[in-house]
Every structure is written in structure tokens, then in C-alpha cells.
């Protein structure tokens, strides 16, 4: 079924509309909402889960319209499948902040995400336009830059999520967790409108093009069966550029780890790569903690000849959350 819980006044972000939160926990409840969702031009979406990404489990789907925030309990059999017509269609356009790990987790569940306006992609285009190096911006930082406020997640909820990776599997969900999930999508429609204005891109053509690239992430490196499969020198991988700094380039692999190009040869060979572009690379080495793999572009290696020098680069955590 489904039920309207409360108007989102108590923890409401500074948005242009008042929203009601609706909990949906059955396929029939989803079916009752589909006609209205499919009639929208834009909706905002986000997902919560366990072991996020390619081998993750989706536990919750949040979708915001101009008047409601729907919280779908995707642990209930059939709920995610019932949502597929919305998630797999080009319209409505789904406004998502960094859809890559979401798309990968959905693909793992048999749903092919389509029709996305990615606010991470939009911000990357803004940085390129302003001649700044692209990086992965956190949702809260983007909210502050565009709508002037951040998600007011309680410190208690942040601690819970860090200490218990299976938190989103538990039922019933506490009110703080529902607040957390609601706020992740509450302002994204306003963010899209603001980014269109900043980029002077009312048709969204450029952002949609990069967003389509981000969606290809879900099909990368399907020959790898686990994260441990990466630790093979000379292994061919597909790498998607995410962040550039003066000393390194960071890539996503759809395998739970970050790939880094930081040697002079590696960075020179990849310098023309655009954010969201997928390039063929070879694994050259990895750090002692096996949290980073080092890569070079395949064409730069003269076949399969690997660099014999391990790059000196500070350790880095696994692929960061959105």
C-alpha cells in the first residue's frame, strides 16, 4: 500500500514548493502512482542501499515531484520491478546527483536506468566552462552553491550509516532515516533549474549528453567478477575520468575501487580525456592496502609493456559516496 505521512515542513530545505512525503511498500501501491509519475516532465531520484554500486543491494528508492516525495520500499518483492517503467524511460527526466553507482546497482537488479539529468555532470561542465579542473562535488556543497542551503542530516544519522553498512535493510525505518532519505531528493528539481540558468543551457542538451555517458558506467568492466580481480599487472580495464588535480587524474572503474594516473607518462597520455569519457587502460600497479590501482592508457604502453616504476602517491579511500 501507500500512505501520506506528513508535509515536509519540519526539516524542509529552502525549495520553491511545499512537499508531502508518501511511503509506498507494495507493487500495487507503485502501480497506483505510475500514471502521475509518467506524466511529469521532470522528477528527482535517489537510492539508498547496502554495499553501493555494482554488487550492491537497493533498499530504498526516493522520487520527488513538484508536490510529493515518494519513498519506495524496494526490499518488498516486486516494488523495484514495478518502478522500472519510470526508471527505464527517457521521460520523465530523472534528476540525480551522480547517477553512476545508482545505475550500476540498478543494473545489478535488472533495471536499466535511462533519461537522466545528472547534477554532477552539470557541475563538471560548469567547471570546464570556467577553466577549472573537474572534481566530484558532494551533494551538500552543490546545494549550497545553487539553492543556498544544505541537507540538514543529523550527526546521529551520519554516525549510524558509518557504523552499520546494513542500516538501510532494517524495518521499520526511523524518522531520522526517513528525513535523511527525503532531503536527498527534496531540492534536486530546483538545482536542475538553477544549473540550466547558470550554464545558459535551457534545452539541457549538453548536460544530457554527459549524463548519458555516466549511464554507460553500469556496463563497464563486466569481465571482472570481484574487486580482487583488479590486482593483475597488465589487466585491461575501462576507466571513466572523474576528477583532475595538478598531480593526478582519478577514474571510476565500476569495481568499488579508485584508479589513479599520476606518473608523467600516464597523465600525458590521458590529458585530452573529458569527464565521463571511458578510456581503455592497463593496470600497472596498486598500493599496499589494495585500495587504489594505478593505470596508464593502453595506447601509451606500446602494447602490453608496463611501467616498472611504482608511482609515489598518498593513499586514498575507496570510491567516495555521492
Amino acid at each position: 500500500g501507500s500512505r501520506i505521512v506528513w508535509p515536509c515542513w519540519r526539516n524542509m530545505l529552502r525549495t520553491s514548493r511545499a512537499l508531502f512525503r508518501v511511503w509506498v511498500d507494495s507493487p500495487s501501491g507503485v502501480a497506483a502512482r505510475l500514471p502521475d509519475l509518467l506524466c511529469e516532465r521532470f522528477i528527482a531520484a535517489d537510492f539508498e542501499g547496502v554495499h553501493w554500486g555494482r554488487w550492491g543491494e537497493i533498499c530504498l528508492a526516493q522520487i520527488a515531484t513538484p508536490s510529493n516525495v515518494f519513498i519506495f520500499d524496494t526490499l518488498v518483492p516486486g516494488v523495484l520491478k514495478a518502478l522500472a517503467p519510470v526508471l527505464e524511460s527517457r521521460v520523465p527526466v530523472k534528476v540525480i546527483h551522480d547517477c553512476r553507482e545508482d545505475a550500476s546497482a540498478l543494473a545489478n537488479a535488472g533495471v536499466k536506468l535511462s533519461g537522466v539529468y545528472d547534477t554532477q555532470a552539470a557541475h563538471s561542465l560548469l567547471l570546464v566552462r570556467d577553466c577549472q579542473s573537474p572534481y566530484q562535488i558532494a551533494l551538500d556543497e552543490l546545494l549550497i552553491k545553487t539553492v543556498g542551503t544544505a541537507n540538514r542530516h543529523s550527526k546521529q544519522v551520519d554516525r549510524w550509516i558509518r557504523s552499520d553498512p546494513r542500516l538501510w535493510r532494517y524495518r521499520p525505518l526511523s524518522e531520522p532515516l526517513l528525513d535523511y532519505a527525503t532531503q536527498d531528493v527534496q531540492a534536486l528539481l530546483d538545482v536542475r533549474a538553477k544549473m540550466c540558468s547558470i550554464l545558459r543551457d535551457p534545452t539541457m542538451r549538453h548536460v544530457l549528453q554527459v549524463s548519458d555517458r555516466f549511464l554507460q558506467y553500469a556496463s563497464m568492466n563486466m569481465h571482472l567478477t570481484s574487486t580482487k580481480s583488479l590486482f593483475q599487472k597488465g589487466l585491461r580495464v575501462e576507466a571513466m575520468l572523474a576528477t583532475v588535480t595538478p598531480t593526478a587524474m582519478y577514474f571510476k572503474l565500476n569495481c568499488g575501487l579508485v584508479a589513479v594516473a599520476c606518473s608523467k607518462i600516464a597523465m600525458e597520455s590521458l590529458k585530452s580525456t573529458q569527464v565521463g569519457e571511458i578510456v581503455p587502460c592497463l593496470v600497472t600497479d596498486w598500493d599496499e592496502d589494495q585500495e587504489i590501482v594505478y593505470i596508464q592508457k593502453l595506447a601509451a604502453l606500446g602494447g602490453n609493456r608496463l611501467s616498472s616504476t611504482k608511482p609515489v602517491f598518498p593513499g586514498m579511500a575507496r570510491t567516495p559516496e555521492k
Side-chain angles (χ1 to χ4, degrees):
S2 62
R3 63 181 185 273
I4 299 176
V5 183
W6 43 262
C8 303
W9 293 112
R10 185 160 56 86
N11 278 320
M12 190 169 170
L13 297 176
R14 192 185 309 162
T15 68
S16 61
R17 61 190 73 86
L19 304 177
F20 288 81
R21 191 181 74 206
V22 183
W23 174 263
V24 184
D25 57 5
S26 71
S28 61
V30 177
R33 302 293 175 178
L34 280 184
D36 291 337
L37 291 176
L38 290 168
C39 285
E40 297 286 349
R41 187 181 177 195
F42 301 104
I43 58 176
D46 191 42
F47 307 87
E48 309 296 345
V50 178
H51 303 305
W52 205 231
R54 178 171 165 188
W55 296 291
E57 178 186 24
I58 299 172
C59 301
L60 213 64
Q62 307 98 273
I63 292 180
T65 68
S67 56
N68 296 307
V69 175
F70 296 96
I71 308 291
F72 297 97
D73 187 355
T74 55
L75 289 181
V76 176
V79 166
L80 186 58
K81 183 177 180 180
L83 268 176
V86 173
L87 299 176
E88 295 185 336
S89 63
R90 297 292 295 180
V91 179
V93 173
K94 276 70 68 180
V95 182
I96 301 177
H97 183 69
D98 205 331
C99 68
R100 288 171 288 195
E101 300 299 342
D102 296 336
S104 189
L106 285 166
N108 187 44
V111 177
K112 186 177 181 180
L113 186 61
S114 179
V116 169
Y117 181 101
D118 195 304
T119 53
Q120 185 78 261
H123 183 258
S124 294
L125 287 174
L126 177 62
L127 292 173
V128 172
R129 188 198 70 178
D130 295 343
C131 299
Q132 300 180 45
S133 296
Y135 67 94
Q136 295 183 98
I137 189 171
L139 177 57
D140 277 357
E141 184 183 349
L142 182 63
L143 288 170
I144 292 171
K145 290 179 70 171
T146 54
V147 297
T149 189
N151 288 0
R152 293 191 289 269
H153 297 152
S154 71
K155 292 181 180 179
Q156 182 183 32
V157 171
D158 289 337
R159 286 198 302 270
W160 287 348
I161 292 173
R162 287 195 298 269
S163 64
D164 189 350
R166 295 177 60 83
L167 182 67
W168 292 108
R169 291 203 98 260
Y170 306 146
R171 297 294 184 271
L173 289 173
S174 66
E175 193 62 32
L177 286 178
L178 290 170
D179 284 350
Y180 182 103
T182 299
Q183 289 181 55
D184 267 358
V185 292
Q186 202 167 334
L188 280 177
L189 294 177
D190 287 340
V191 172
R192 184 206 66 83
K194 185 68 173 180
M195 291 302 294
C196 285
S197 175
I198 295 173
L199 289 168
R200 298 182 178 89
D201 184 25
T203 67
M204 308 178 299
R205 179 170 64 92
H206 300 297
V207 176
L208 291 176
Q209 286 175 347
V210 180
S211 300
D212 281 344
R213 287 189 201 166
F214 277 19
L215 290 172
Q216 295 173 22
Y217 177 77
S219 61
M220 286 171 48
N221 295 318
M222 299 306 289
H223 60 295
L224 301 179
T225 57
S226 69
T227 299
K228 291 182 179 179
S229 304
L230 279 169
F231 304 116
Q232 305 174 55
K233 289 187 178 182
L235 177 70
R236 180 167 178 165
V237 295
E238 297 168 304
M240 177 179 285
L241 181 62
T243 298
V244 178
T245 72
T247 57
M249 302 172 74
Y250 298 89
F251 294 79
K252 294 174 70 71
L253 300 175
N254 192 28
C255 292
L257 293 186
V258 173
V260 179
C262 54
S263 70
K264 184 177 180 180
I265 294 175
M267 293 187 68
E268 181 66 23
S269 69
L270 291 159
K271 67 180 182 181
S272 62
T273 307
Q274 298 178 354
V275 169
E277 184 178 349
I278 300 172
V279 291
C281 294
L282 291 181
V283 173
T284 62
D285 219 324
W286 47 87
D287 71 326
E288 292 181 358
D289 296 326
Q290 295 191 340
E291 293 184 340
I292 305 169
V293 293
Y294 299 102
I295 59 173
Q296 288 186 18
K297 190 173 182 180
L298 182 61
L301 293 169
N304 286 352
R305 183 172 53 84
L306 302 181
S307 170
S308 60
T309 304
K310 184 172 182 177
V312 178
F313 198 78
M316 183 174 170
R318 292 175 183 268
T319 305
E321 304 248 342
K322 291 185 296 182

